[in-house]
Amino acid sequence: MASKSPAPHVRPWIASYPEGIDWAVELDIRPVHEQVLAACAKNPSAVALDFLGGTTSFGELASKIIAFAGALQREFGVKKGSRVALMLPNTPFYPIAYYAVLRAGGTVVNCNPLYTVHELSHIAENAGAEVMVTLDLQQIFEKAEKLVQAGHIKSLVVCHFPDALPLVKKILFSVAKRRDLARLKASPIADRISHFHTMVERGEPPTAVVIDAQTDIAVQQYTGGTTGLPKGAQLTHANIAANMSQINHWGCGLFLPPAKIVAVLPFFHIFAMTVCMNVPLCNGTQVVMLPRFELKALLNLLTRTRANVLPAVPTLLNAVARAEGATSEQLASIEVAISGGAALSNEIRAAFGKKSSAILAEGYGLTEASPVVCCAALRVPSKPLSIGLPLPGTDIRFVNLETDTPVGIGEDGEVQVKGAQVMLAYYNEPQATADAFMDGWLRTGDVGHMDEDGYVFLVDRIKDLIISSGFNVYPRTIEEALMAHDAVEEANVIGVPDDYRGEAPIAFVKLRDGASITADELKVFLAERISKIEMPREIIFKDTLPKTLIGKLSKKELREEYAQSTATT
């Protein structure tokens, strides 16, 4: 455990901290699996996981973690340094496998089940993961099967999806959805498949593993796919535990029992892994899960469980706020909604506020920081449009994009971070690691500034910055202006080559159901809100806008689509 003495003259945010929060608090860096097993021992009869009405107690969670860790050691030789890939949606299998890998001494490599086989191949090969834990749902299993056939993975541990369901749903699934399950015995790799339930049933305890929290890697999280092949951010046990500790101090008891945390965001994403799983479970707090976001399922979950903390992304909050079927009564149990993963527009904030009286706190982070760096207060209101204040034990500075020198209060610059949650390095990427840091500070690639009270405001991503006629044009500014129109539901802006300006902004817009407006009418509306330099060269209307799995609007697909369309014409 370690802490730093605050220097208020360079940390203006400390004066704005809510009462009771100390920037220099000592952070708990015990490995996360040790913390969760301690929580299980403290109250074994309490409910740890709720999955579609089926529950797992903390005692059951601990016994399965221990048994699976022992099986991983004995059957696959998992030890310190072993990479184990997890390709699982939100089910009880995920936390069991995650903590078991860590208890066995291994490193978790998260894999998005919606990735293509090509994308998964790069991650598996780069990480050197020999074992993958996955599901027997056909659409997921067939990808894992191909990874084994291609030689990227040696062995699979397969979880039987119906085992995660409560009894009645398990029976119904086995009858009505049988075709959705892979036929494992008929698989060409059947001899390289182990069954999760068989491994756990053996109940063999693992051998002891001594973990150095500061240097041993807990999670190798792949990131940066929009700028080339994903890189493996190496997060130590201390990185992950420190960020949990920072969030706990910031929450002032929010994540303690009898709270219930909604986990609709996928655990394999760093935001959900930390905020929806690690923080609550290590506090002995119940996690209520959904395998994916569906509005009706989420509303039913809230009604049934009365969960009170909702980590979310802006598009999820927007869907809830705009849905006619979502009533204030159904959302009444939510006390705090935490928005992350993308910028939260004032329009979404206002729309959600009409449906829910919950505190809506925007946070900010990145994979390389485990991930949370800043957050609005979780118990009292914060400044609107701000991503809040740096967490305890976290330092932030802003650096001029041209001179690489720190800038003052109110001046825009690249956001750079220091703190115990910052990654060790990128795996086998010395140059990328060197490029990710400046004088020991993590470069975020985001542009923003801090006001006199220490509140942080983001402007945009450096890589999304559009240089038009020599001026910096930030897509977020244009997107915010578009979202201010009542007819606009979603907006995403990219930069494209322009013979005259060098680059020009192009706006993609999804209108609300039943709304109608022309591009020219929308430009007239924008003219009062943005400059001529910022005015989109073209506004393209689409029925849907591409998103990442956690619901973040994606520019990558729009760039590819626009490039293809211009090449064709």
Side-chain angles (χ1 to χ4, degrees):
M1 299 185 185
S3 62
K4 300 177 182 179
S5 299
H9 62 285
V10 295
R11 299 186 180 113
W13 57 86
I14 293 178
S16 297
Y17 268 15
E19 186 177 354
I21 297 178
D22 179 9
W23 183 91
V25 68
E26 189 174 21
L27 301 179
D28 185 350
I29 60 169
R30 287 175 299 150
V32 62
H33 62 279
E34 294 181 11
Q35 294 193 46
V36 81
L37 289 172
C40 291
K42 185 177 181 180
N43 197 357
S45 61
V47 174
L49 307 171
D50 178 309
F51 181 69
L52 303 177
T55 59
T56 304
S57 71
F58 275 98
E60 292 169 328
L61 178 62
S63 65
K64 290 180 178 179
I65 291 169
I66 293 297
F68 192 48
L72 287 172
Q73 286 182 338
R74 286 168 177 77
E75 190 167 333
F76 299 106
V78 173
K79 57 184 184 301
K80 196 183 287 193
S82 299
R83 264 63 178 174
V84 179
L86 305 185
M87 187 163 68
L88 295 164
N90 286 10
T91 59
F93 303 122
Y94 184 94
I96 293 168
Y98 177 92
Y99 297 121
V101 170
L102 300 184
R103 172 60 184 84
T107 297
V108 169
V109 177
N110 280 312
C111 295
N112 182 338
L114 293 188
Y115 274 176
T116 65
V117 173
H118 174 73
E119 291 170 313
L120 292 167
S121 295
H122 166 72
I123 292 173
E125 188 172 12
N126 181 268
E130 295 187 351
V131 183
M132 172 176 277
V133 185
T134 191
L135 273 186
D136 60 358
L137 289 177
Q138 179 60 33
Q139 62 183 20
I140 297 176
F141 174 78
E142 63 185 11
K143 295 179 182 180
E145 184 180 58
K146 289 176 181 176
L147 292 174
V148 174
Q149 289 176 307
H152 299 305
I153 296 287
K154 287 186 178 180
S155 305
L156 297 181
V157 176
V158 181
C159 308
H160 186 45
F161 177 71
D163 287 347
L165 301 171
L167 182 59
V168 174
K169 290 180 179 178
K170 179 177 180 178
I171 295 171
L172 291 174
F173 186 94
S174 299
V175 173
K177 299 283 189 178
R178 187 182 305 168
R179 293 182 179 179
D180 291 347
L181 297 176
R183 297 173 60 203
L184 302 185
K185 291 182 180 179
S187 170
I189 62 159
D191 61 329
R192 283 181 276 177
I193 294 174
S194 295
H195 298 275
F196 174 85
H197 67 273
T198 303
M199 295 173 67
V200 170
E201 284 172 1
R202 293 192 193 113
E204 300 173 348
T207 57
V209 180
V210 178
I211 297 295
D212 184 332
Q214 297 284 6
T215 59
D216 289 336
I217 308 302
V219 177
Q220 191 159 301
Q221 189 79 7
Y222 280 80
T223 183
T226 56
T227 55
L229 291 173
K231 301 178 289 292
Q234 294 188 291
L235 304 176
T236 66
H237 289 269
N239 291 154
I240 291 172
N243 202 224
M244 286 169 45
S245 187
Q246 291 165 324
I247 294 166
N248 268 326
H249 289 300
W250 193 248
C252 297
L254 178 66
F255 296 97
L256 297 178
K260 294 181 181 179
I261 315 301
V262 177
V264 63
L265 302 180
F267 289 142
F268 54 75
H269 187 273
I270 190 73
F271 177 27
M273 184 193 82
T274 297
V275 179
C276 300
M277 186 182 74
N278 282 339
V279 170
L281 290 180
C282 288
N283 282 316
T285 299
Q286 184 178 154
V287 174
V288 292
M289 294 176 282
L290 283 176
R292 63 182 178 276
F293 171 62
E294 291 178 347
L295 180 62
K296 183 178 179 181
L298 176 60
L299 296 176
N300 288 341
L301 178 146
L302 292 172
T303 301
R304 178 176 61 81
T305 67
R306 310 304 296 166
N308 64 318
V309 181
L310 176 65
V313 290
T315 46
L316 188 156
L317 296 169
N318 193 31
V320 171
R322 309 289 186 194
E324 293 182 4
T327 66
S328 297
E329 290 73 21
Q330 291 170 306
L331 303 175
S333 68
I334 303 174
E335 297 174 17
V336 180
I338 305 169
S339 179
L344 178 67
S345 73
N346 207 34
E347 287 67 35
I348 294 177
R349 185 187 296 273
F352 186 80
K354 291 177 182 178
K355 287 257 179 97
S356 172
S357 59
I359 287 178
L360 178 51
E362 185 172 6
Y364 165 76
L366 62 163
T367 297
E368 292 85 347
S370 305
V372 187
V373 170
C374 292
C375 193
L378 299 176
R379 295 298 200 176
V380 294
S382 286
K383 285 191 178 184
L385 300 182
S386 168
I387 57 170
L389 305 164
L391 292 188
T394 303
D395 274 315
I396 284 187
R397 71 176 185 179
F398 301 83
V399 174
N400 185 286
L401 299 182
E402 295 180 358
T403 64
D404 288 344
T405 56
V407 299
I409 294 294
E411 295 181 68
D412 284 340
E414 181 186 20
V415 183
Q416 298 187 354
V417 180
K418 267 188 181 180
Q421 71 270 50
V422 173
M423 70 169 185
L424 196 63
Y426 290 123
Y427 181 62
N428 283 348
E429 294 273 4
Q431 187 57 54
T433 299
D435 293 343
F437 290 89
M438 178 186 292
D439 303 327
W441 292 77
L442 176 67
R443 303 185 60 180
T444 68
D446 289 305
V447 179
H449 62 266
M450 180 177 287
D451 71 8
E452 64 280 0
D453 296 320
Y455 281 86
V456 180
F457 296 81
L458 287 189
V459 177
D460 223 318
R461 293 284 299 163
I462 289 176
K463 65 185 179 184
D464 293 336
L465 177 69
I466 302 167
I467 310 296
S468 187
S469 299
F471 292 91
N472 290 353
V473 173
Y474 296 102
R476 183 176 175 183
T477 302
I478 306 170
E479 290 159 0
E480 291 278 358
L482 286 164
M483 290 290 290
H485 197 287
D486 290 339
V488 176
E489 182 173 324
E490 294 176 339
N492 205 348
V493 173
I494 63 170
V496 301
D498 184 272
D499 291 340
Y500 179 67
R501 292 194 271 177
E503 277 188 301
I506 299 289
F508 294 84
V509 170
K510 178 183 183 294
L511 298 179
R512 293 188 192 175
D513 290 342
S516 177
I517 190 172
T518 67
D520 287 341
E521 290 169 338
L522 204 46
K523 284 185 177 182
V524 170
F525 174 81
L526 290 176
E528 299 179 0
R529 289 164 173 79
I530 59 176
S531 68
K532 290 182 179 180
I533 290 292
E534 295 168 318
M535 183 63 70
R537 188 179 76 186
E538 187 178 358
I539 296 176
I540 300 171
F541 296 100
K542 295 179 68 68
D543 293 334
T544 59
L545 295 182
K547 299 180 180 69
T548 65
L549 184 64
I550 64 164
K552 182 178 178 180
L553 287 167
S554 176
K555 298 184 189 294
K556 180 181 178 182
E557 288 83 355
L558 293 177
R559 291 189 182 105
E560 292 172 351
E561 176 185 317
Y562 192 84
Q564 290 174 359
S565 67
T566 53
T568 302
T569 55

